[in-house]
């Protein structure tokens, strides 16, 4: 069932899609994100609780028109400069943002995975997240009269996750910090999973999440596909790569060079230059 | 302060660590809160039960994690649960004694901003955003904030209310349906602020060794009220400093 | 931290409490149920998705004034005759019932564990469960206008579960079919866990649920405490005991004898005889 | 029927097994549905993906479970999930192709009763109740009912609607917001009933070998409509019977 990553992305991800590449510090689907950049996808609504450097890269490469998120940063390092440049200077293209709290996003995925149109939580009350976000409303408990927050279900067109292993039938196994991946996958219309390896038998592992093959549309083998994040049991987090990204992300030119290397293009120009102000952020 | 045998970050972290009691459950943000909680668990609070929002419950990392989802947290936790579970079954259910947060801005009523500096639609600085903070601030029994003290950070009114402290004053948390007590203490590199029991306005109740009250007022973006006789923070002990430095390495020494 | 079962029940369970002894076929807290009978507790509101023979015994012994449930039967065998006798003939005492679907009960526990006053689900619509149950209402999605069902949170005064193991600190580990136990425990004010054994270290097991000590009020060692249900990895289900219960449960006198043996009383009379009709069901 | 080399329960179970296709996901009730699903998975549908409400996904038990939570289900499943997860993430989300249910009563519009015979407040017979059935009937893409055929079971109107079939006729499922198609077939020890495409009334579309239409009408508590040319159920094959009997043992032979 495993298909090459370029083929899987080509088949499952389309311009204009709502795409969630999920991973909570651990098992971030970086290889798949890079393939999305390489294929030059555009107008994506990118969704993720914790957009980090691979989202900075997708945004900098001009793949996204909107970002739905709850915490956007370079964990342990600081800010995402491509993200800042897009939000504050529309470079390389304008980026609309819709922001939530983690609890709100998590429950939006839960509702999506559960086939419900919305989720209820204690949250948002009194915060500025309400005024700026039409996707948060108030709901009244029909039993107690208490007011709570309601958020709409999140159902991405495609969810992409990275896992340790799959078997030949396409059952997927991940463990360690499993975050929101199960909900993000089950909320999606289509699911692409990159894995470290395909094995004959998924030997049970403590703390595992198994996604049955029938909720997975494609498995692609991408060893190291979560780096510079980590894959519990396979490799460690490359903290220096996160730190090093700061300098690259800060500078449009350095980013352009990085992008050219990733995409194999000859020049070092960014993909578009809709901002006449030039080098910014 | 250059004559003191510790830095202002160190006294801040030690003071924050001291405000955690043994046996408490603590929802730990990354950065300064995580450092302080790990100092506490290695000194006076070995039974501190640390929860990181990645779902690692009862983590006891052997070194400081760089992120809320480092492998060391999962490896040392009592159990690892999904993100919905940590937010719904643990945080929202009111099971956490203290939420330990950092901030980019805090205001007179301890409201917290980690979203933008400037106007939301056209920000001067775009910050990472909310993360788990709004619900940590809402649902933990108590909240402790740890952040460096200057006029850009301590403002009369935050540019954006990411997480509610005491709103606009007395009764606001109740009116908003927030179940926890909210921020009970803000610990900085200069001193300690606590909300006035009546007005809920942050009041200087303590200063660190070598810090003048005037200096703290100077570093605060509103007319800071000062308790009648602000406590002087006891100096860091050798044990505290040695634990802290073993965690942070040379960078913070 | 482990305390004798009689002491734990005496401390945590009181007359009039709402008590959930949960277990979904697997790990049913039978020993704890029997201790509740032995201590002669009364006026309990018993809660469980799948009340089976231990609930038949509790009801027959007159411990309960109300049963909240979604499926009451002797799995694979048939009906619960003490339950029937209580519902249709008020023997030994009248039994009020409040019934739900499994999905409704499961989500009520989820809401309870989540600190929410209610849960939303697609369910109940068009069924007779609505007309007979004030605990099901309709709620409208504030985003789509769709009508859904709402059910109130379940927060038992006490939840009792059986698990394979605990450590000395009171952390509890269960695996196999883990059912609704995590939610039932986390929804409760007080939690009593009986275990097969206390061990030095909870070696991780695939598929495990770990309940941290801080949500557990008492651990009692009760080897075989789930029999005649089973404890995955410890002992098998005693199917013959379920079949044999049918004859005992059908007959008030046979039940009285069973009860006398359990409680060590000399006579063979049922605990009360409020039904003048005598032997029934 | 005593001259036939199989029992009426056996032809019912085999007919039910045949209506499951290879590769389908099937939410399996205990008893007759479980037996039929396990026959299917051992004959024409080796890829049948069986879900039991205990949370065992993709179970392939080596012998028939006595309950929905037998150990053999957990041991052979692709994965075991919690009960909220099986109901919310799998059933409610509309991921299940077919729900396979038994019943104590079914009516003209395939509504199902497993709650009480008689009045709810003062029942003649108290049955186990709803279990997972209401949401299985609501949310699976299709529902198949398997039950023995007699006038006490096949009634004009069920004493209690535990699970909605086609309500009071056309449009009712849509009006009630039920996402699945509802019961598409009722398989009994006498024959096969399907809802009329227009009126949604259960109609006899097939009879088992040796069964007369008149007999089925006799065993039905309403004036049963009969398709123009009811199919005759093909006899159980030797392979089907041998698999069935290996599962049920001597008791069902």
């Amino acid at each position: 069932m495993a298909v090459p990553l370029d083929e899987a992305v080509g088949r499952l991800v389309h311009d204009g899609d709502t795409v969630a590449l999920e991973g909570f510090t651990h098992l971030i689907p970086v290889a798949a994100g890079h393939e999305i950049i390489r294929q030059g996808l555009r107008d994506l609504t990118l969704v993720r609780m914790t957009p980090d450097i691979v989202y900075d890269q997708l945004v900098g490469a001009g793949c996204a028109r909107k970002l739905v998120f709850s915490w956007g940063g370079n964990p342990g390092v600081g800010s995402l400069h491509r993200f800042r440049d897009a939000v504050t200077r529309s470079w390389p293209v304008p980026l609309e943002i819709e922001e939530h709290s983690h609890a709100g996003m998590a429950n939006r995925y839960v509702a999506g995975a559960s086939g419900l149109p919305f989720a209820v939580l204690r949250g948002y009350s009194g915060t500025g997240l309400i005024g700026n976000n039409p996707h948060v409303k108030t709901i009244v408990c029909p039993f107690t009269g208490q007011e709570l927050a309601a958020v709409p279900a999140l159902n991405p067109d495609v969810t992409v996750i990275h896992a340790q292993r799959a078997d030949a039938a396409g059952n997927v196994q991940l463990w360690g910090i499993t975050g929101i991946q199960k909900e993000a996958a089950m909320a999606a219309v289509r699911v692409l999973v990159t894995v470290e390896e395909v094995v004959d038998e998924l030997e049970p592992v403590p703390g595992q999440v198994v996604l049955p093959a029938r909720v997975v549309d494609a498995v692609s083998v991408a060893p190291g596909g979560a780096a510079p994040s980590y894959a519990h049991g396979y490799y460690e987090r490359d903290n220096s790569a996160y730190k090093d990204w700061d300098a690259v992300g800060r500078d449009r030119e350095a980013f352009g060079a990085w992008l050219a290397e990733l995409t194999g293009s000859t020049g070092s120009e960014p993909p578009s230059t809709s901002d006449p102000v030039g080098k910014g952020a | 302060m250059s004559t003191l045998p510790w830095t202002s970050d160190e006294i801040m972290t030690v003071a924050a660590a001291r405000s955690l009691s043994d046996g408490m459950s603590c929802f730990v943000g990354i950065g300064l809160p995580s450092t302080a909680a790990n100092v506490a668990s290695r000194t006076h609070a070995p039974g501190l039960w640390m929860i990181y929002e990645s779902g690692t419950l009862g983590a006891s990392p052997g070194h400081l994690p760089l992120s809320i989802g480092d492998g060391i947290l999962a490896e040392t936790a009592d159990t690892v649960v999904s993100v919905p579970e940590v937010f719904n079954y643990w945080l929202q259910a009111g099971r956490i004694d203290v939420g330990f947060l950092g901030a980019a801005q805090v205001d007179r009523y301890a409201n917290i901003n980690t979203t933008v500096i400037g106007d939301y639609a056209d920000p001067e600085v775009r910050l990472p955003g909310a993360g788990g903070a709004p619900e940590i601030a809402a649902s933990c029994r108590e909240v402790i904030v740890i952040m460096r003290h200057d006029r850009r950070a301590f403002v009369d009114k935050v540019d954006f209310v990411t997480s509610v402290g005491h709103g606009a004053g007395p009764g606001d948390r109740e009116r908003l349906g927030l179940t926890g007590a909210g921020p009970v203490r803000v610990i900085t590199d200069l001193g300690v602020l606590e909300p006035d029991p009546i007005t809920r306005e942050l009041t200087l109740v303590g200063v660190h060794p070598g810090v003048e009250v005037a200096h703290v007022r100077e570093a605060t973006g509103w007319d800071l009220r000062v308790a009648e006789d602000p406590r002087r923070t006891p100096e860091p002990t050798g044990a505290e400093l040695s634990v802290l430095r073993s965690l942070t390495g040379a960078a913070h020494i």
Side-chain angles (χ1 to χ4, degrees), chain A, chain B:
Chain A
M1 178 177 178
V3 294
L5 180 55
D6 55 354
E7 187 185 321
V9 168
R11 178 153 61 84
L12 298 179
V13 189
H14 313 123
D15 286 347
D17 275 354
T18 295
V19 185
L21 295 95
E22 270 296 353
F24 213 78
T25 312
H26 178 217
L27 292 175
I28 297 166
V30 176
H34 288 175
E35 183 57 31
I36 288 173
I37 294 174
R38 260 187 233 105
Q39 297 198 10
L41 285 155
R42 287 292 177 271
D43 293 323
L44 302 179
T45 293
L46 289 177
V47 181
R48 190 166 149 205
M49 292 181 66
T50 53
D52 66 354
I53 65 182
V54 68
Y55 268 51
D56 210 31
Q57 293 162 352
L58 283 155
V59 166
C63 299
R65 65 161 197 83
K66 182 175 179 181
L67 179 67
V68 181
F69 74 109
S70 39
W71 190 91
N74 185 342
V77 179
S79 291
L80 298 175
H81 300 283
R82 294 297 93 230
F83 165 56
R84 276 195 178 178
D85 206 9
V87 171
T88 59
R89 293 168 178 255
S90 299
W91 192 93
V93 291
L95 184 71
E96 186 187 339
I97 59 171
E98 175 189 325
E99 67 184 300
H100 288 269
S101 66
H102 277 351
M105 284 290 281
N107 281 294
R108 295 187 66 191
Y109 279 128
V110 168
S114 302
L116 290 175
F118 73 107
V120 175
L121 73 156
R122 292 187 194 279
Y124 294 95
S125 182
T127 75
L129 295 166
I130 298 177
N132 293 291
N133 192 336
H135 294 104
V136 183
K137 298 202 173 181
T138 293
I139 195 159
V140 175
C141 171
F143 302 98
T144 63
Q146 282 179 69
E147 282 198 358
L148 297 138
V151 284
L154 246 174
N155 292 102
D157 295 311
V158 197
T159 285
V160 183
I161 63 171
H162 186 78
Q164 281 97 335
R165 305 196 292 218
D167 64 17
N171 298 297
V172 166
Q173 183 188 34
L174 57 153
W175 66 93
I177 290 171
T178 53
I180 192 68
Q181 282 96 315
K182 180 189 277 188
E183 286 74 19
M186 296 192 77
V189 181
R190 300 183 294 280
V191 176
L192 165 58
V193 183
T194 55
V195 294
E196 291 298 322
E197 57 175 337
V198 170
V199 295
D200 288 339
E201 180 97 14
L202 298 175
E203 282 297 322
V205 173
Q208 71 182 12
V209 164
V210 172
L211 283 180
R214 61 183 55 228
V215 297
V216 176
D217 293 277
V219 169
S220 295
V221 181
S229 82
Y230 70 107
H232 203 115
Y234 284 76
Y235 45 90
E236 301 278 312
R237 191 170 193 267
D238 181 0
N239 287 334
S240 65
Y242 281 85
K243 288 172 184 154
D244 293 348
W245 180 254
D246 194 66
V248 179
R250 265 182 205 279
D251 185 273
R252 287 184 187 173
E253 212 166 296
F255 175 74
W258 175 89
L259 186 60
E261 196 180 319
L262 179 78
T263 58
S265 77
T266 48
S268 65
E269 291 152 79
S272 81
T273 50
S274 67
D275 174 20
V277 176
K279 187 173 162 182
Chain B
M1 264 188 280
S2 57
T3 61
L4 294 170
W6 28 263
T7 68
S8 58
D9 267 14
E10 286 177 340
I11 183 81
M12 165 170 67
T13 307
V14 165
R18 288 173 185 161
S19 56
L20 298 172
S21 305
D22 197 18
M24 272 187 163
S25 53
C26 180
F27 208 109
V28 183
I30 210 66
L32 293 171
S34 174
T35 307
N38 278 281
V39 169
S41 76
R42 282 164 174 74
T43 52
H44 64 283
L48 185 70
W49 206 64
M50 292 188 279
I51 294 187
Y52 289 79
E53 65 193 14
S54 57
T56 52
L57 307 182
S60 51
H63 57 81
L64 281 188
L66 186 67
S67 80
I68 45 78
D70 279 17
I72 191 74
L73 298 173
E75 282 154 23
T76 62
D78 287 340
T79 187
V80 180
V81 299
S82 72
V83 163
E85 191 169 326
V86 75
F87 282 103
N88 292 344
Y89 291 3
W90 288 90
L91 181 59
Q92 180 172 261
R95 269 177 247 279
I96 313 299
D97 295 314
V98 60
F100 212 2
L101 295 174
Q105 282 186 334
V106 70
D107 70 15
R108 189 190 281 263
Y109 289 108
N111 301 297
I112 292 167
N113 175 16
T114 54
T115 301
V116 290
I117 305 297
D119 183 52
Y120 185 77
D122 185 20
E124 284 163 50
V125 184
R126 173 66 230 192
L127 300 164
E135 285 78 22
I136 293 172
S139 294
C140 288
R141 294 199 183 99
E142 296 187 346
V143 173
I144 297 173
V145 180
I146 173 169
M147 57 190 291
R148 298 188 186 94
H149 210 136
D150 64 50
R151 292 180 76 89
R152 287 170 308 134
F154 281 72
V155 296
D156 187 46
K157 206 165 165 16
V158 287
D159 292 350
F160 188 96
V161 180
T162 312
S163 306
V164 180
H166 298 288
D172 255 27
R173 287 188 68 87
E174 295 71 13
R175 189 179 54 74
L176 292 166
L178 307 178
T179 51
V184 295
R185 193 166 303 130
V186 178
I187 295 162
T188 81
D189 50 351
L190 300 180
V192 178
L193 296 81
E194 290 180 1
D196 180 274
I198 308 298
T199 67
R200 316 311 294 156
E201 184 178 325
L202 280 180
T203 305
L204 186 69
V205 298
V207 285
H208 298 327
V211 176
E212 299 305 317
V213 166
H215 178 190
V216 185
R217 287 175 53 89
E218 180 80 10
T220 302
W222 72 87
D223 185 17
L224 179 65
R225 295 185 64 235
V226 179
E228 211 163 304
D229 188 17
R231 294 186 296 270
R232 181 68 57 177
T233 308
E235 305 212 359
T237 66
E240 285 169 334
L241 283 176
S242 117
V243 163
L244 172 57
R245 288 169 183 171
S246 74
L247 284 169
T248 57
H252 285 244
I253 299 175

